[in-house]
Amino acid sequence: MTSKRLLDKTLAGVRGTGAGNIVYGGNYCTKTNEHISAKAGGVLTRKKAPATVNGFDTQIVDTCPLQELSKETCPNGNHREKHNTKKKAIYASEEEEREVGPGEVLKCNNCTHRLSLTGQRQEDHMQVDSLNSLRSMLPLHVTDVLAEEIYASSHIPVPRNRKPSGHADKEVMAATVLTTLSTSPLVLNPSPGASALWALLAGGVSETSCRGWKESLSASYSSSTSGNWSWDASDQSVPSTPSPPLSTDVSKSFLIYSQGEDNIEEAESTHFLFEDPIPRKRKNSMKVMFKCLWKNCEKVLSTSSGIQRHIRTIHLGRNGDSENSDGEEDFYYSEIEVNMDTLTEGLSNLTPTSPTTICPPPVFPLGSDMAQSKSATVINSPLSQSAPSTLCHIRTDHAYQATAPVSIPTVSSEPLNSHSAISVSWQSPSIIFKSQPGAHVGILSSGEKRQPVTHTISKTHTTTISTPKPSTGTRKPRGEAKKCRKVYGMEKKDLWCTACRWKKACQRFTD
DNA sequence: CATGCCGGGGG
DNA sequence: CCCCCGGCATG
């Protein structure tokens, strides 16, 4: 390849990376998502993408801050899935995309955000200025892209009123952005390149030269990051195949983590997933990050200064530039070692607790609630988040993962439908997994019974999870509804439903 | 104790 | 299957 070409590629890669983050999150959500992300990514080119799709993406991007974004990703993915066909087609015409070329549109597998270098997205107006400032700090093109992407994708919440004043501020912003970014995309690939990136970030963005970036990026992408898979410009095949990494072995590890629930299935068959993955993933995935401990703030930055700034400006309401801090910020953040994988997961939910944090899931009883966690856990153990109103302590230990397998079986009973896996009741906003309620679940609970609790809830859960085997041992608690016997009375026994007559569980008045 | 059901069993 | 019932768990 010509150097030029290379360059382009690299650039593309960069972009892709940016976008990738988010998408990645999506992946985590579910296996399905992986496809989605890939596809979606393909599609996304703003120009070309169908309005619908676009709209969707855009919306998300614009509207949500990083955290939300991550959440949204999943859903997004779903939607996308729906459109997949379309997308596929689009993807198919890679050529088209290609034509666009690096300069013009960012293409990544991921999608979510592709910006034109030239133009900001309409939505971004508000932040344009900040963006610009950011840009100035970064090396040339790449920077540009990066920044934009970052912005676009993560939308770091920056006080709008706060205008970047001076270099310092800019730096801060940049740092913030980058950091944020780190949470997302880069994280995904714990490749050397990534580290380089990190280093860069930490060091001060502006310093690095384009080249350096490129190099590192390219290196990371080409080699270790199988993850980038999708987006590799050269790799055209990817698009068509939704599931990215599968083909490569590297992907293996990726898969495991990335494909959330679905993995379960796989996991089942392949135990190695759980047993083995941990070590593997750890390899290069640990990173030191700084997490904001402020209540409800899950911000995690890669640099201490960044986090300090964040705290200072966002939480303490001090001036961004006041470089001199009394050190108060120190109280509000902590250093954490983040496992990239985990992070990613977190990304997907990015909820309250930072992505980084993961609380080991409680034991899983068979409770339905747990089930959810199970599923999640099984996969990535993202859910842990739910619990953590407080943060559990950071540093992820995947110990619980070990447990995961156990639960799997249960879960597995579920359908392996595509996305199914996680249906998550976690529907809370944060949800990660996409749940498409429809199909997969459901049925399990059928006759089996009534769970004492509220129907709604129980239903959901029940469905989601495989119902703990009711029959054996545990008898279902008596239903509340009046049964035939009570309703009709012994005298009218003939009116009873057969089940009642047989002394079986009433079929007519089910709870 | 009345119910609701499970686990069996006979036809 | 269809019918029944013993018996246990619950409220």
Side-chain angles (χ1 to χ4, degrees):
Chain A
M1 313 191 159
T2 22
S3 53
K4 191 182 178 184
R5 225 184 155 174
L6 202 91
L7 212 155
D8 286 352
K9 257 196 174 176
T10 316
L11 277 176
V14 176
R15 293 162 191 163
T17 323
N21 320 349
I22 295 171
V23 175
Y24 235 51
N27 285 344
Y28 280 60
C29 294
T30 40
K31 194 193 207 162
T32 329
N33 278 340
E34 65 182 351
H35 309 243
I36 296 166
S37 46
K39 294 174 184 174
V43 185
L44 291 173
T45 319
R46 271 203 154 194
K47 289 165 120 194
K48 312 201 165 179
T52 11
V53 177
N54 243 344
F56 202 75
D57 286 342
T58 313
Q59 229 185 349
I60 292 174
V61 176
D62 296 342
T63 329
C64 336
L66 183 52
Q67 302 185 343
E68 283 189 61
L69 228 169
S70 50
K71 296 179 197 167
E72 300 266 279
T73 314
C74 292
N76 208 356
N78 290 343
H79 288 233
R80 282 184 193 156
E81 216 176 355
K82 291 177 185 172
H83 303 281
N84 262 347
T85 25
K86 231 183 196 173
K87 295 183 176 180
K88 258 188 182 170
I90 296 174
Y91 229 132
S93 55
E94 303 176 21
E95 309 243 81
E96 256 194 28
E97 269 206 325
R98 275 198 147 189
E99 288 179 10
V100 179
E104 240 186 299
V105 180
L106 307 179
K107 137 196 198 174
C108 357
N109 15 351
N110 315 320
C111 64
T112 333
H113 335 17
R114 280 158 188 187
L115 314 178
S116 342
L117 286 179
T118 36
Q120 310 76 331
R121 332 153 84 266
Q122 323 94 316
E123 313 89 295
D124 289 333
H125 291 323
M126 305 198 50
Q127 303 172 315
V128 174
D129 49 353
S130 29
L131 229 157
N132 287 332
S133 52
L134 227 175
R135 276 191 202 145
S136 57
M137 319 194 42
L138 302 172
L140 213 40
H141 242 53
V142 178
T143 325
D144 225 292
V145 177
L146 230 143
E148 267 194 290
E149 288 248 11
I150 296 169
Y151 237 99
S153 54
S154 23
H155 235 225
I156 299 159
V158 179
R160 313 218 153 156
N161 43 7
R162 180 177 156 229
K163 273 205 173 176
S165 55
H167 212 28
D169 229 276
K170 288 180 181 178
E171 274 189 77
V172 179
M173 287 195 66
T176 313
V177 175
L178 291 175
T179 331
T180 312
L181 189 99
S182 59
T183 349
S184 10
L186 297 182
V187 176
L188 297 179
N189 10 319
S191 55
S195 358
L197 244 171
W198 282 102
L200 288 175
L201 294 178
V205 187
S206 50
E207 302 185 8
T208 343
S209 61
C210 255
R211 215 200 254 162
W213 276 82
K214 290 176 191 171
E215 282 178 16
S216 52
L217 287 173
S218 55
S220 55
Y221 284 111
S222 51
S223 58
S224 47
T225 321
S226 48
N228 63 334
W229 55 46
S230 25
W231 96 270
D232 179 3
S234 55
D235 178 341
Q236 321 231 337
S237 54
V238 174
S240 48
T241 322
S243 25
L246 295 182
S247 44
T248 34
D249 27 18
V250 186
S251 45
K252 250 194 208 164
S253 49
F254 255 112
L255 279 180
I256 300 171
Y257 298 102
S258 57
Q259 318 179 353
E261 303 69 344
D262 285 15
N263 285 338
I264 300 172
E265 316 169 351
E266 271 153 15
E268 283 185 72
S269 45
T270 3
H271 298 283
F272 78 93
L273 285 180
F274 294 98
E275 294 160 5
D276 184 297
I278 300 170
R280 224 186 260 174
K281 56 160 53 160
R282 280 219 170 135
K283 260 192 198 166
N284 25 8
S285 43
M286 292 312 269
K287 171 130 209 115
V288 178
M289 308 262 306
F290 298 85
K291 180 191 165 99
C292 176
L293 297 177
W294 200 272
K295 194 180 179 188
N296 295 326
C297 179
E298 301 301 332
K299 194 142 211 130
V300 177
L301 299 184
S302 60
T303 62
S304 60
S305 58
I307 194 73
Q308 285 182 8
R309 258 191 191 131
H310 156 84
I311 292 165
R312 204 182 305 136
T313 55
I314 310 282
H315 301 305
L316 299 180
R318 298 192 188 164
N319 225 329
D321 26 3
S322 61
E323 295 290 24
N324 29 0
S325 62
D326 49 22
E328 189 179 347
E329 304 90 16
D330 294 349
F331 292 96
Y332 300 102
Y333 73 90
S334 67
E335 190 176 337
I336 58 177
E337 236 186 339
V338 181
N339 181 312
M340 300 311 225
D341 303 68
T342 310
L343 235 181
T344 332
E345 307 167 9
L347 248 186
S348 40
N349 340 331
L350 244 191
T351 10
T353 352
S354 65
T356 34
T357 11
I358 293 184
C359 293
V363 191
F364 318 112
L366 301 184
S368 33
D369 299 350
M370 292 338 296
Q372 326 166 340
S373 36
K374 278 187 204 164
S375 38
T377 312
V378 176
I379 314 164
N380 312 321
S381 59
L383 344 176
S384 11
Q385 318 256 2
S386 56
S389 27
T390 34
L391 352 167
C392 304
H393 219 44
I394 319 190
R395 180 157 274 215
T396 15
D397 234 85
H398 299 281
Y400 51 91
Q401 290 200 339
T403 42
V406 180
S407 40
I408 294 174
T410 331
V411 176
S412 57
S413 48
E414 294 221 19
L416 309 181
N417 287 341
S418 37
H419 29 67
S420 53
I422 312 208
S423 47
V424 180
S425 13
W426 290 89
Q427 38 237 139
S428 38
S430 44
I431 325 182
I432 321 168
F433 302 100
K434 63 181 357 26
S435 40
Q436 282 279 349
H440 43 323
V441 209
I443 318 158
L444 295 176
S445 38
S446 63
E448 251 346 26
K449 340 270 211 105
R450 341 149 165 204
Q451 292 231 345
V453 209
T454 25
H455 311 261
T456 23
I457 298 173
S458 50
K459 260 184 193 168
T460 327
H461 290 201
T462 312
T463 12
T464 309
I465 344 159
S466 44
T467 321
K469 26 183 106 186
S471 54
T472 21
T474 359
R475 223 188 223 199
K476 58 175 147 193
R478 208 190 259 190
E480 281 192 5
K482 291 200 174 189
K483 306 292 162 141
C484 297
R485 186 191 194 107
K486 245 189 180 160
V487 176
Y488 303 105
M490 288 299 276
E491 325 77 74
K492 296 178 183 176
K493 197 167 180 177
D494 31 337
L495 293 179
W496 295 9
C497 64
T498 40
C500 280
R501 257 182 279 148
W502 305 160
K503 279 172 103 178
K504 300 292 182 189
C506 180
Q507 295 175 323
R508 191 171 297 166
F509 306 100
T510 324
D511 299 304

